[in-house]
Amino acid sequence: MAKHRVGIVGGDGIGPEVVAEGLKVVAAAGVDLETVDYDLGGARYLKDGTVLPDSVLEEWRGLEAIYLGAVGTPAVPPGVIERGLLLRMRFELDLYVNQRPFVAPDEGIDFVVIRENTEGTYAGEGGFLRKGTPHEIATQGSVNSRFGVERAIRYAFELAAARRNHLTLVHKTNVLTFSGDLWERAFDEVAAEHPSTGTAYNHVDAACIYFVESPQRYDVIVTDNLFGDILTDLGGAVSGGIGFASSANLNPARTGPSMFEPVHGSAPDIAGTGRANPTAAVLSAAMMLDFLGEAEAAARVHAACAAAANFSGTTSEIGDQIAAGV
């Protein structure tokens, strides 16, 4: 069996701890990875100002995947690591699909959010005028291209067809009349090519209510970058907690690596205490295995995580429990 070349970014806080458990479970599943470690994140930035060197980005282009724990520390100003590392990675490697599944079998919850990952308000359009004065103006635009919107929608339709064949568009078309109109038109036109797939539309505020009251209604959701970021945190909360929320940042064309990470942050307040739940990181590793063509191993990891869902223990003990069940 050929080894898969994977970059490892443990990052900050609990990131290295949960990544270690994910790699432990991958090894228990019998998948051999050739890993390359990268010291990146808030701690590295505080040490020497490094965020994401061009040389590292070039190395990543030769990898199959990147496995990331969490990055960020309170000592680093907001936006430095987020924009300089995470967003740059998404833009430069064209990770245009953010896929986040939410499963809680006891509650009948099983849905996936597909978030467009390279445009919207995160594209960086905007700026300041008269900054620091009483008349300061700040603008932050939302960039939406037909190309970017349509490829995310097409991916979501393909995923829905492989699941329960229903796709919901979430936006705010009644207020965001330009970007919302583009999303709605693209969605309707692609839907016409998939007549057997059921479709629906929810305003994002209504979707927040439905996530809490009746998340069982959803199969696949497609939405823009900002709405997807917010909704998926809520999705984690209603499906067992953020400690179970996994994600994939995908380049479906495979012109470069895809990146896999838990939804949670670096949680510096519990780093080193053994209190971090590694399940989200393990499930993210399972998504990585599936992407790498190791579907059978990925299925065993998912099943082991489900079997250990109610197990309590330290970070490493939970990892051991999952690994033993693979």
Side-chain angles (χ1 to χ4, degrees):
M1 183 184 299
K3 287 186 177 182
H4 301 286
R5 296 193 71 236
V6 176
I8 307 298
V9 183
D12 301 305
I14 64 172
E17 302 170 44
V18 297
V19 160
E21 300 311 309
L23 293 174
K24 176 197 295 182
V25 173
V26 168
V31 178
D32 195 6
L33 301 181
E34 179 186 341
T35 60
V36 185
D37 292 311
Y38 294 92
D39 177 18
L40 298 170
R44 175 67 186 276
Y45 175 79
L46 291 173
K47 182 167 62 177
D48 61 14
T50 297
V51 181
L52 177 55
D54 292 342
S55 59
V56 170
L57 195 58
E58 282 307 307
E59 285 183 29
W60 284 352
R61 297 185 193 280
L63 301 176
E64 292 181 71
I66 299 164
Y67 184 39
L68 185 146
V71 292
T73 178
V76 178
V80 173
I81 303 301
E82 293 84 354
R83 296 207 68 86
L85 176 57
L86 296 177
L87 293 188
R88 188 182 180 208
M89 186 191 307
R90 294 173 189 172
F91 299 153
E92 293 282 353
L93 300 177
D94 203 22
L95 309 179
Y96 67 86
V97 165
N98 183 278
Q99 181 167 326
R100 297 185 176 181
F102 301 98
V103 180
D106 292 345
E107 304 294 329
I109 296 171
D110 180 5
F111 67 91
V112 180
V113 177
I114 299 302
R115 162 188 170 193
E116 196 291 315
N117 212 28
T118 60
E119 297 188 346
T121 51
Y122 291 10
E125 191 277 332
F128 291 102
L129 181 64
R130 297 188 288 272
K131 186 177 182 180
T133 75
H135 304 288
E136 180 174 345
I137 298 171
T139 64
Q140 192 83 57
S142 179
V143 177
N144 300 265
S145 71
R146 174 61 189 241
F147 171 77
V149 168
E150 184 173 324
R151 65 180 181 173
I153 290 171
R154 288 190 177 279
Y155 181 90
F157 268 104
E158 291 170 6
L159 179 63
R163 287 173 49 89
R164 301 193 305 277
N165 214 21
H166 192 276
L167 180 62
T168 302
L169 170 64
V170 172
H171 210 282
K172 189 68 175 171
T173 56
N174 58 338
V175 175
L176 303 178
T177 53
F178 301 121
S179 61
D181 183 72
L182 171 57
W183 272 87
E184 190 168 45
R185 282 186 288 110
F187 184 85
D188 290 345
E189 289 172 26
V190 177
E193 302 173 20
H194 298 79
S196 64
T197 301
T199 60
Y201 170 80
N202 293 161
H203 288 324
V204 65
D205 43 350
C208 288
I209 295 172
Y210 299 147
F211 266 44
V212 174
E213 290 186 346
S214 56
Q216 299 83 2
R217 70 173 61 206
Y218 293 116
D219 178 20
V220 180
I221 294 167
V222 65
T223 190
D224 85 341
N225 211 336
L226 177 60
F227 294 150
D229 194 1
I230 296 167
L231 281 174
T232 50
D233 278 1
L234 181 56
V238 302
S239 60
I242 206 74
F244 295 92
S246 58
S247 76
N249 296 269
L250 300 175
N251 176 336
R254 297 178 186 258
T255 57
S258 292
M259 189 269 277
F260 302 83
E261 61 175 334
V263 172
H264 62 66
S266 60
D269 56 321
I270 62 169
T273 67
R275 292 164 53 198
N277 185 346
T279 305
V282 175
L283 288 169
S284 298
M287 295 183 76
M288 179 175 69
L289 292 180
D290 198 45
F291 175 81
L292 293 173
E294 304 285 355
E296 190 271 337
R300 285 190 281 117
V301 173
H302 277 290
C305 286
N310 296 319
F311 179 80
S312 60
T314 66
T315 304
S316 61
E317 288 171 345
I318 294 173
D320 289 343
Q321 178 79 5
I322 296 171
V326 171

